[in-house]
Amino acid sequence: LLLGTLITALEPPAGRDFDGLAEHLAQASFYARHHEVVPLWHDHHSQFPSNMQMLYSLGLLYGSVTATKLLHWFHGLIALFAVFLIGRRFLGSRTCTAGMLVLATCPMFVWLASVAYVDLAMLAYVLLAVLAFLHWRESGRTQDLLLAALLAGCSMTVKMQGLAVFGVVMVASLLVEPAGGSGGVSLRTRLARTAFATMVGLCLAAPWYVRSAVNTGNPFYPFAYSIFGGKHWSADREDAVRER
């Protein structure tokens, strides 16, 4: 399966790579050709967090669209190894093998590994954040929690859905007392610990949301239009996106 997806990742983008051609690669191509990052008002997706598109721009600067697809495929490989490590470390050797097989044989995973989307990067960072969080739960070391916050923050730089993941990880860090801790930690200490980790993760992701706020007036553009509004957007367009 990995070999098959690698072969398809080496192919030029085709019909199945619709969002790659219409959105992710199109945005990266504009930045690479014009050597600047500017709002693309013809495509509201360009206001989304765009770390992967920036990495794609580097590949396109050197004229290699294959490099962009391989980068997405490589994040799928990272996701598989994250599942393996979670299973081996916390659930047992049989579980890690079964977990990798479940993910590797998922039709959506196989398809995504062959296109220049961003979803496998999101998956990789989420799984790595879970791995770091579980490790912190056992060790109680602050640096492990900060790593989990950073990795969850990475997911927010790829897709806005990472906001929910980041929120879950931070709330869990407030509610869960690590086994390696001293026990009986006060609520004030937990709040301080979680607040610090939250700031670390937000500092990583904030530039994309600040950029969107500066460009459009809405940090989550075009979502939450009823709260923040947004340049070149309207309530009926928000309804259409929600229904879709």
Side-chain angles (χ1 to χ4, degrees):
L1 281 170
L2 285 175
L3 180 60
T5 57
L6 176 60
I7 292 172
T8 55
L10 293 171
E11 296 175 351
R16 67 175 178 274
D17 209 327
F18 178 79
D19 279 0
L21 290 170
E23 178 187 341
H24 308 301
L25 293 177
Q27 181 182 351
S29 176
F30 186 94
Y31 297 157
R33 286 184 289 110
H34 295 272
H35 298 276
E36 61 178 343
V37 178
V38 296
L40 306 180
W41 295 115
H42 62 276
D43 182 7
H44 67 272
H45 301 97
S46 66
Q47 298 298 336
F48 291 177
S50 302
N51 254 27
M52 283 297 289
Q53 287 85 340
M54 299 306 298
L55 293 175
Y56 289 169
S57 296
L58 292 176
L60 295 179
L61 277 171
Y62 292 94
S64 177
V65 69
T66 300
T68 65
K69 296 185 67 179
L70 284 177
L71 181 63
H72 192 236
W73 178 88
F74 183 71
H75 278 87
L77 196 62
I78 293 175
L80 282 171
F81 277 113
V83 169
F84 175 82
L85 291 173
I86 291 171
R88 187 181 68 173
R89 179 68 181 82
F90 302 103
L91 300 172
S93 58
R94 290 186 179 181
T95 305
C96 69
T97 304
M100 288 185 71
L101 285 172
V102 168
L103 180 57
T105 56
C106 175
M108 183 61 72
F109 180 86
V110 174
W111 174 71
L112 283 170
S114 68
V115 296
Y117 281 33
V118 300
D119 304 82
L120 291 186
M122 170 75 176
L123 175 64
Y125 292 128
V126 168
L127 289 171
L128 289 173
V130 170
L131 176 62
F133 179 84
L134 291 174
H135 191 61
W136 166 77
R137 187 171 177 268
E138 282 198 345
S139 71
R141 298 186 305 175
T142 301
Q143 55 264 43
D144 293 330
L145 178 60
L146 295 181
L147 179 59
L150 281 171
L151 290 165
C154 284
S155 74
M156 290 193 292
T157 70
V158 177
K159 292 175 74 77
M160 269 193 245
Q161 286 89 334
L163 289 164
V165 175
F166 184 77
V168 168
V169 171
M170 291 301 96
V171 170
S173 72
L174 180 62
L175 300 177
V176 173
E177 182 60 31
S182 58
V185 177
S186 67
L187 178 59
R188 181 177 179 179
T189 301
R190 291 191 184 195
L191 286 171
R193 178 183 66 198
T194 300
F196 183 56
T198 300
M199 290 302 298
V200 168
L202 288 179
C203 284
L204 183 66
W208 288 115
Y209 297 89
V210 171
R211 168 181 176 265
S212 183
V214 170
N215 287 340
T216 70
N218 181 352
F220 311 108
Y221 185 90
F223 307 106
Y225 177 82
S226 59
I227 300 173
F228 298 102
K231 190 174 181 180
H232 302 315
W233 203 252
S234 60
D236 59 322
R237 295 184 73 182
E238 182 186 31
D239 292 338
V241 170
R242 186 184 300 111
E243 291 173 3
R244 185 177 64 183

